């Protein structure tokens, strides 16, 4: 898939080190934020008057319990998001996700899906460290926020955040869960775990009143039942290879999937278990698929009824089936160094169970006269002399003990003190001081999300790839500080150009063969791109190439090369040549060899560049071997060149 | 009742979902569909060929090495000075030859060669020799790149050159140090009266006629004559042998070349089992004289070489070949041509030679008394991996 392969192997040391360093730095920031929040919270609480504390406790006691189904979804998916965030921190993620995870996910999908995925994958390959680190903190933040916030607006926002990020992952990372690619099955991951995270997030984000009746749970069960019935139809569809364990000596679809999972690096007992199951499927593929079809169809139609008595055994059977598939077919989903989540079975099990609980354990309605107000509460400060802080304004709500019965109504609160009596800072302090610990954790979790999302968003606005890729491919630039060797040659317009004539400008110097068929055109484009990156600073930089071919070195050939590479309009571009003696002296001075190779071969020369400052000193040497010559590596080399020039540029 | 309604709705929802999913997956392709293939080019002759100068020096172009798709093939040039028996490797150094080589005899012993573009190189480096490839001098590059036909380069007796580019442009260079100027293009020629009349679709060769004026060969969709065009007084005229003389409306020009004072054209006439090769010659001021004698059937043409005096050498598929000794001569069919034969050459005493290449080994076979005898083997150090 074009663009997605940055050309760097997932195990590249430079990339992994940079990724770990980014995580560490951001982790320190996250810790600092937590410490600051914690200190502020404790301090504000200590300064609260005793009466305010009593009012807070009473208010909290009056809050309604969270519905069981919602609680299961919230905590279950919160844990999953945290687990996925930790998986995202595996060292290979930065360099391996686009080519090893995203690209295969889009294989077989329609062109428009592949285009979407390629766009996202290319963005990741351009900024692997920022994107990989961002994904870690976003997912950790969503998980912590979901777990910490049990009710109210904060909890719903957490659900929305989960739904939003789940949708992003499902579209751009899972290629719509592979649903539009041939051969997909619920057993092997369709419709994509991220979609289920998204659905759970939407459910969590629903208003509290939706969870107070059985309607939501019933609808959810019916939709799930319909989906399972469709999955059963897919599983049973002939010609998709699921009925045969082996087909004409080749493994069937399910056998093949299990076999590939068994060969993933993982603990040996698990690998043996999965391999043994693979053998069973190979020998009895029809029976295995029959069981799957029957379970999915029966459970699906049972859920479609929406009735608790019929759905209960179906839910139990489904959870067992999902767990079995998760272990035996999906092999827990996250081994191999590039697993991003435990696949779809655990989230499905949570969703089905949560929907069932939403029907089976509807919270008992509270008496209307004694119903405690839900949502944000307002309390007031007592009149008269005030202590340092008194609670005014809306207060964050807290979750009561979930096992408790509907609580007695909150005690009456006095009228609020006039707002003008307290400033915004004081109000913030009071709000913080009266907040529960879970609210502080939710704030911290939201901050972590921003910690991840902000660098990621900024990186995506950059049109050039990160120079880290160039360093990963060829090593970092070498710092020098020696007088640059002089040269006096002829440019593509026949004019004499010497290093001395370029004094006052930064010189990016390289060596190009005008009749080269591979590397040199790439290097020329990287120089052109570096010029664009420099923008207004380009006038202070001279882009200089010296011919590196002892035979094809005339001005006619440098001009032909310039036309070919669209360099003729670049005012600060110089393609220099001269007599063989002049060129040989220049090559020697810059440690370049340009020699003829065998019959029919290009001339041999190294791909490198020097950065010479305005005073004529060589400050940097860069290895510019384009390697795989991908769009990502080209962009990264261009960025590296531009940065190297900017580093030695004197302030304007 | 309510449960029944619920079940019905659920069933309907499931059915709609199933239909949607089936339709969506049915619309899915096995991968992103790429653009449609361009129309296949009309059959053209491979680049392998031999060129003989007026003084009898020979140059042979053969493809050696590995697979072209992996940039592991490297076209090589072999040279043999006049009155000598041995070939030697003479490929000019300094540029990759994966895209092919085209050569034209320019004098008694001299030749001009051009490298066809490959990978990211989009123009053709040009180089010439005056001593059978012992030393080379770089010429001005050809913008646009030489076309993928052996007749893409032609030399005139006054040292001028004609070149056919991949974009269908015909460029002219008046002298070795001069630049290239545009003579015409496929589009321009196709828009002329003669071009429209024959339905010109492609240009396939360039040469200078016996009178020194440019001549072009091309493929026509409505040929009344073989697709050969000459430039007279600034106007292009169709000047090939008439179709009525050839006995078939299906005519394509396989080769058009001038060696010495004779312009030779090799035509493929007819199609299927009755397809045949017809040679015709043009001398200064005269009309085309032609001979139609060689039935090739469905055999593919692997190489065409035109030699002084109107002689022609053809390699066909199925280990076959044919040689025409010269203007007015008869075709001599060759069977059992050695495996890997890329092109034919004429040795001393008009002895037929088969030049074969396999990997890095070049072999020259002589035809003696009806059988092929290995005369020479050259091992070439193929620079595998240098272009990838």
């Amino acid at each position: 898939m074009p663009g997605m392969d940055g050309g760097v192997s997932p195990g590249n040391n430079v990339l992994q080190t940079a990724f770990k360093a980014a995580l560490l730095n951001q982790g320190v920031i996250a810790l600092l934020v937590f410490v600051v929040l914690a200190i502020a919270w404790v301090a504000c609480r200590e300064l609260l008057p005793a009466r305010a504390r009593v009012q807070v406790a009473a208010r909290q006691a009056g809050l309604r319990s969270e519905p069981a189904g919602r609680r299961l979804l919230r905590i279950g998916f919160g844990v999953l998001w945290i687990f996925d965030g930790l998986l995202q921190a595996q060292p290979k993620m930065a360099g391996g996700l686009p080519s090893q995870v995203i690209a295969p996910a889009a294989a077989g999908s329609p062109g428009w899906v592949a285009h979407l995925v390629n766009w996202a994958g290319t963005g990741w390959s351009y900024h692997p460290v920022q994107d990989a680190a961002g994904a870690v903190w976003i997912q950790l933040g969503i998980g912590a926020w979901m777990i910490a916030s049990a009710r109210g607006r904060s909890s719903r926002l957490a659900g929305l955040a989960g739904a939003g990020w789940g949708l992003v992952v499902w579209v751009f990372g899972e290629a719509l869960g592979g649903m539009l690619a041939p051969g997909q099955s619920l057993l092997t991951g369709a419709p994509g775990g991220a979609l289920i995270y998204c659905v759970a997030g939407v459910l969590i984000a629903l208003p509290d009143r939706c969870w107070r009746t059985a309607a939501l749970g019933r609808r959810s069960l019916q939709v799930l039942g319909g989906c399972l019935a469709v999955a059963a139809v897919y599983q049973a569809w002939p010609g998709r290879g699921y009925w045969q364990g082996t087909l004409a000596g080749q493994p069937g679809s399910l056998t093949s999937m299990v076999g590939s999972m068994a060969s993933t690096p993982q603990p040996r007992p698990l690998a043996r278990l999965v391999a043994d199951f693979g053998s069973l499927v190979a020998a009895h593929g029809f029976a295995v698929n029959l069981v799957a079809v029957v379970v999915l169809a029966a459970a699906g139609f049972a859920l479609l009824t929406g009735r608790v008595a019929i759905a209960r055994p179906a839910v139990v059977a489904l959870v067992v089936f999902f767990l079995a598939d998760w272990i035996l077919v999906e092999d827990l989903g996250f081994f191999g160094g590039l697993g991003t989540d435990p696949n779809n079975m655990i989230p499905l099990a949570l969703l089905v169970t949560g929907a069932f609980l939403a029907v089976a354990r509807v919270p008992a309605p509270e008496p209307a006269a004694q119903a405690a107000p839900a949502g944000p509460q307002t309390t007031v400060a007592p009149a008269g002399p005030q202590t340092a802080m008194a609670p005014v304004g809306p207060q964050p709500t807290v979750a009561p003990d979930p096992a408790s019965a509907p609580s007695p109504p909150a005690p009456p609160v006095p009228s609020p003190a006039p707002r003008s009596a307290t400033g915004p800072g004081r109000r913030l302090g009071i709000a913080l001081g009266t907040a529960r610990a879970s609210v502080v954790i939710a704030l911290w979790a939201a901050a972590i999300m921003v910690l991840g999302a902000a660098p990621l968003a900024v990186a995506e606005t950059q049109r050039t790839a990160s120079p880290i890729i160039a360093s990963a491919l060829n090593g970092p630039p070498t710092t020098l500080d020696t007088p640059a060797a002089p040269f006096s040659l002829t440019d593509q317009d026949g004019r004499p150009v010497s290093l001395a004539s370029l004094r006052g400008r930064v010189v990016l110097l390289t060596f190009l063969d005008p009749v080269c068929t591979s590397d040199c055109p790439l290097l020329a484009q990287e120089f052109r791109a570096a010029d664009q990156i420099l923008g207004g600073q380009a006038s202070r930089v001279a882009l200089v190439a010296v011919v590196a071919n002892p035979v094809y070195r005339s001005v006619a050939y440098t001009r032909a090369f310039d036309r070919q590479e669209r360099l003729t309009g670049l005012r600060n571009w110089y393609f220099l040549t001269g007599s063989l003696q002049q060129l040989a002296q220049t090559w020697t001075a810059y440690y370049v060899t340009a020699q003829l190779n065998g019959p029919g071969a290009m001339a041999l020369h190294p791909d490198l560049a020097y950065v010479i400052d305005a005073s004529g000193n060589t400050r940097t040497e860069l290895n510019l071997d384009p390697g795989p010559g991908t769009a990502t590596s080209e962009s990264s080399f261009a960025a590296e060149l531009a940065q190297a020039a900017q580093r030695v540029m004197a302030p304007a | 009742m309510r449960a029944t309604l619920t079940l019905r709705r659920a069933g309907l929802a499931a059915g709609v979902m199933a239909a949607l999913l089936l339709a969506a997956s049915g619309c899915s392709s096995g991968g992103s569909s790429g653009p449609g293939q361009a129309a296949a080019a009309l059959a053209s002759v491979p680049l392998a060929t031999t060129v003989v100068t007026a003084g009898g020096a020979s140059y042979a172009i053969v493809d050696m090495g590995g697979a072209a798709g992996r940039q592991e093939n490297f076209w090589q040039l072999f040279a043999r000075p006049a009155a000598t028996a041995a070939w030697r490797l003479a490929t000019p150094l300094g540029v990759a030859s994966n895209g092919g080589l085209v050569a034209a005899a320019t004098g008694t012993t001299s030749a001009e060669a051009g490298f066809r573009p490959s990978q990211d190189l989009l123009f053709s480096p040009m180089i010439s020799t005056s001593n059978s490839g012992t030393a080379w001098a770089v010429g001005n590059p050809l913008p646009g790149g030489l076309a993928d036909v052996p007749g893409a380069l032609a030399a005139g007796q006054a040292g001028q050159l004609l070149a056919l580019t991949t974009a269908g442009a015909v460029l002219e260079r008046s002298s070795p140090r001069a630049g290239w100027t545009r003579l015409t293009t496929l589009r321009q020629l196709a828009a002329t009266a003669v071009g429209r009349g024959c339905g010109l679709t492609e240009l396939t060769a360039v040469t200078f006629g016996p009178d020194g004026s440019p001549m072009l060969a091309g493929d026509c969709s409505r040929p009344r004559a073989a697709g050969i065009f000459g430039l007279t007084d600034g106007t292009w005229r169709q000047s090939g042998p008439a179709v009525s003389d050839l006995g078939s409306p299906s005519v394509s020009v396989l080769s058009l070349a001038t060696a010495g004072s004779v312009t030779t054209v090799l035509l493929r006439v007819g199609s299927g089992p009755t397809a045949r090769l017809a040679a015709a010659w043009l001398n200064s001021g005269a009309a085309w004289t032609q001979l139609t004698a060689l039935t090739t059937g469905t055999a593919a043409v692997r190489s065409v070489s035109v030699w002084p005096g109107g002689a022609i050498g053809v390699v066909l598929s199925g280990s076959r070949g044919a040689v025409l000794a010269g203007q007015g001569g008869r075709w001599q069919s060759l069977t059992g041509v050695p495996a890997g034969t890329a092109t034919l050459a004429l040795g001393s005493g008009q002895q037929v030679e088969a030049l074969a290449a396999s990997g890095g080994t070049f072999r020259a076979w002589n035809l003696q008394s009806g059988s092929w005898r290995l005369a020479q083997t050259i091992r070439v150090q193929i620079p595998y991996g240098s272009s990838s």
Side-chain angles (χ1 to χ4, degrees):
Chain A
M1 201 159 287
M4 238 194 274
D5 184 2
V8 183
S9 83
N12 182 278
N13 265 339
V14 171
L15 216 52
Q16 287 191 3
T17 304
F19 180 41
K20 287 176 193 169
L23 285 178
L24 189 63
N25 290 338
Q26 288 168 332
V28 167
I29 296 173
L31 187 62
L32 279 174
V33 169
F34 181 79
V35 167
V36 166
L37 272 177
I39 291 174
W41 177 62
V42 168
C44 290
R45 281 183 81 86
E46 288 301 313
L47 294 174
L48 272 182
R51 186 176 175 193
R53 289 185 205 170
V54 167
Q55 290 172 346
V56 166
R59 187 175 58 246
Q60 288 169 1
L63 295 173
R64 294 196 288 181
S65 61
E66 184 183 16
R70 187 182 189 278
R71 186 169 58 248
L72 176 69
L73 290 181
R74 180 178 59 79
I75 296 176
F77 279 91
V79 169
L80 279 179
W81 275 119
I82 290 177
F83 182 68
D84 293 353
L86 293 174
L87 284 177
Q88 203 69 42
Q90 295 173 91
K92 288 185 184 176
M93 278 297 173
L97 192 82
S99 57
Q100 311 289 320
V101 178
I102 298 180
S109 295
W112 63 273
V113 174
H115 182 75
L116 274 176
V117 171
N118 183 58
W119 176 80
T122 302
W124 184 292
S125 67
Y126 265 44
H127 311 283
V129 173
Q130 294 94 321
D131 283 21
V136 171
W137 296 110
I138 288 173
Q139 292 179 175
L140 287 178
I142 290 174
W145 194 0
M146 269 190 187
I147 293 173
S149 288
R151 58 180 61 251
R153 199 172 300 163
S154 174
S155 182
R156 294 177 61 194
L157 280 175
L160 269 182
W165 185 248
L167 189 63
V168 167
V169 173
W170 184 64
V171 171
F172 297 107
E174 293 186 351
L176 308 186
M179 285 204 306
L180 301 184
Q184 293 300 314
S185 157
L186 185 75
L187 304 188
T188 57
L195 179 64
I196 306 168
Y197 285 59
C198 181
V199 169
V202 168
L203 290 173
I204 294 169
L206 290 174
D208 183 68
R209 65 177 183 279
C210 296
W211 290 91
R212 296 292 162 186
T213 67
L216 174 65
R218 185 169 294 115
R219 288 281 177 272
S220 301
L221 276 183
Q222 288 169 340
V223 169
L224 283 167
C227 293
L228 290 175
V230 169
V233 170
Y234 260 114
Q235 198 65 33
W237 203 265
R240 298 180 78 234
Y242 285 102
W243 286 109
Q244 295 86 10
T246 49
L247 191 60
Q250 298 297 317
S253 300
L254 192 59
T255 312
S256 178
M257 165 81 175
V258 175
S260 74
M261 297 313 293
S263 62
T264 307
Q266 60 191 297
R268 209 172 289 178
L270 183 60
R272 269 203 300 270
L273 178 65
V274 175
D276 289 345
F277 181 70
S279 304
L280 177 73
V281 175
H284 305 285
F286 186 89
V288 171
N289 200 48
L290 184 63
V291 167
V293 170
V294 166
V295 169
L296 290 174
F301 285 112
L303 295 186
L304 274 173
T305 65
R307 300 181 69 176
V308 172
I310 301 174
R312 179 178 284 115
V315 168
V316 172
L318 274 176
V319 170
V320 171
F321 177 79
F322 289 157
L323 282 174
D325 181 89
W326 180 56
I327 296 171
L328 298 173
V329 178
E330 295 181 351
D331 196 15
L332 309 191
F334 53 78
F335 288 114
L338 285 167
T340 57
D341 57 72
N343 218 318
N344 66 336
M345 286 295 158
I346 297 297
L348 260 179
L350 284 173
L351 196 62
V352 165
T353 311
F356 175 75
L357 287 176
V359 175
R361 289 205 202 164
V362 177
E366 294 171 357
Q370 297 181 355
Q377 304 294 312
T378 56
T379 56
V380 298
Q386 302 295 313
T387 50
M389 291 172 134
V392 284
Q395 303 298 314
T397 58
V398 295
D401 178 2
S404 67
S407 310
V413 294
S415 308
R419 260 185 192 273
S420 57
T422 56
R426 198 164 194 159
R427 285 201 295 277
L428 180 64
I430 292 167
L432 188 59
T434 54
R436 287 194 58 174
S438 59
V439 173
V440 177
I441 295 173
L443 271 176
W444 174 69
I448 292 177
M449 281 190 61
V450 173
L451 182 69
L456 191 153
V458 168
E460 292 309 307
T461 62
Q462 309 283 328
R463 294 178 63 188
T464 53
S466 168
I468 190 75
I469 295 161
S471 295
L473 285 171
N474 290 340
T478 304
T479 303
L480 305 168
D481 194 5
T482 55
F487 53 78
S488 185
L489 298 166
T490 305
D491 75 2
Q492 64 274 24
D493 296 320
R495 294 182 295 230
V497 174
S498 66
L499 181 61
S501 69
L502 301 172
R503 190 67 63 91
R505 286 194 279 175
V506 172
V507 174
L508 290 178
L509 175 68
T510 189
F511 296 81
L512 300 180
D513 174 2
V515 296
C516 171
T517 61
S518 54
D519 288 9
C520 297
L522 287 175
L523 297 183
Q525 291 307 307
E526 287 164 13
F527 266 63
R528 205 161 79 90
D531 189 72
Q532 288 172 344
I533 294 170
L534 287 166
Q537 294 177 314
S539 60
R540 301 169 61 193
V541 177
L543 308 175
V544 179
V546 173
V547 163
N549 187 314
V551 176
Y552 296 91
R553 50 181 169 79
S554 69
V555 169
Y557 281 88
T558 57
R559 278 203 196 123
F561 182 86
D562 284 357
R563 280 193 299 271
Q564 172 182 286
E565 298 304 320
R566 294 168 291 137
L567 294 164
T568 50
L570 223 53
R571 288 188 183 182
N572 54 341
W573 167 257
Y574 304 87
F575 198 173
L576 305 181
T577 187
S579 67
L580 191 55
Q581 186 183 10
Q582 289 173 317
L583 286 173
Q585 284 173 351
T586 309
W587 298 335
T588 303
Y590 285 93
Y591 306 99
V592 168
T593 54
Q595 59 195 38
L596 298 176
N597 204 351
M602 292 183 280
L604 279 177
H605 65 91
D607 297 326
L608 50 75
Y610 293 97
V611 181
I612 302 171
D613 65 21
S615 305
N617 294 310
T618 306
R619 303 284 299 278
T620 315
E621 180 183 335
L622 302 108
N623 181 349
L624 287 188
D625 185 337
T630 62
T632 305
S633 62
E634 269 189 60
S635 179
S636 180
F637 282 121
E640 188 181 53
L641 278 169
Q643 269 194 8
Q646 286 166 333
R647 270 197 292 269
V648 304
M649 211 176 279
Chain B
M1 176 66 174
R2 187 172 177 176
T4 307
L5 277 174
T6 305
L7 273 171
R8 280 186 188 167
R9 285 178 190 167
L12 182 62
V16 168
M17 194 176 305
L20 282 172
L21 280 168
L22 279 171
S25 70
C27 291
S28 72
S29 63
S32 58
S33 54
Q37 293 290 331
L42 292 166
S44 59
V45 180
L47 290 177
T49 189
T50 52
V51 170
V52 181
T53 69
S58 299
Y59 297 89
I61 296 172
V62 296
D63 191 11
M64 300 184 71
R70 291 196 303 269
Q71 309 298 328
E72 296 288 22
N73 69 313
F74 296 85
W75 287 84
Q76 305 294 342
L77 180 76
F78 293 86
R80 181 174 61 190
T84 60
W87 293 90
R88 62 180 171 80
L89 183 65
T91 308
L93 301 180
V95 60
S97 61
N98 310 102
L101 269 170
V102 182
T106 56
T108 309
T109 59
S110 57
E112 181 102 11
F115 289 84
R116 289 203 63 253
S118 63
Q119 297 194 85
D120 292 333
L121 180 66
L122 304 179
F123 59 87
S124 281
M126 302 294 293
I127 201 163
S128 61
T129 179
S130 58
N131 50 15
S132 304
T134 304
W136 293 89
V138 174
N140 286 329
L142 179 76
L146 284 162
D148 191 14
V149 288
L153 200 60
Q157 293 191 358
Q160 67 276 48
L161 273 185
L162 272 181
L164 176 64
T165 72
T166 52
V170 180
L171 305 182
E172 189 175 20
R173 194 186 75 187
S174 57
S175 67
R177 294 290 173 203
W180 293 92
T181 57
R182 180 173 293 181
L183 183 65
T184 188
T185 66
L186 168 64
R187 181 177 287 189
Q188 286 174 349
L189 188 57
T192 62
V194 290
R196 288 197 309 271
C198 91
L200 182 66
T201 58
E202 193 176 358
L203 290 174
T204 57
V206 295
T207 193
F208 288 95
D211 60 354
S213 61
M215 293 179 73
L216 309 178
D219 289 322
C220 294
S221 59
R222 300 184 298 275
R224 294 194 198 99
I228 296 171
F229 306 88
L231 184 63
T232 309
D233 298 326
T235 304
W236 289 98
R237 301 177 204 283
Q238 193 163 8
S239 58
V243 164
S244 55
D245 296 340
L246 296 169
S248 169
S250 172
V251 178
S252 62
V253 178
L254 295 182
S255 176
L256 176 71
T258 300
S261 59
V262 180
T263 297
T264 305
V265 63
L266 184 65
L267 307 169
R268 186 162 199 138
V269 182
S271 59
T274 60
R276 55 200 181 279
L277 296 181
W281 299 272
L282 185 67
N283 295 278
S284 209
W288 290 94
T289 58
Q290 59 184 322
L291 175 67
T292 306
L294 186 68
T295 301
T296 57
T298 56
V301 175
R302 299 273 191 243
S303 166
V304 175
S305 302
V306 174
W307 301 314
I312 303 174
V314 175
V315 176
L316 301 170
S317 59
S319 299
R320 292 173 55 194
V323 173
L324 196 60
Q327 186 173 354
R330 286 188 171 279
W331 284 103
Q332 177 191 355
S333 287
L334 306 173
T335 56
V337 171
T341 294
T343 189
L344 297 178
L346 272 186
S348 57
Q350 300 295 299
Q351 188 176 47
V352 177
E353 288 180 317
L355 305 180
S358 173
T361 305
F362 170 87
R363 292 188 177 90
W365 300 80
N366 290 339
L367 183 63
Q368 292 178 350
S369 305
S371 61
W372 296 95
R373 193 171 66 87
L374 182 63
Q376 186 183 5
T377 301
I378 300 176
R379 304 232 184 264
V380 177
Q381 193 79 13
I382 302 295
Y384 292 113
S386 62
S387 292
S388 52

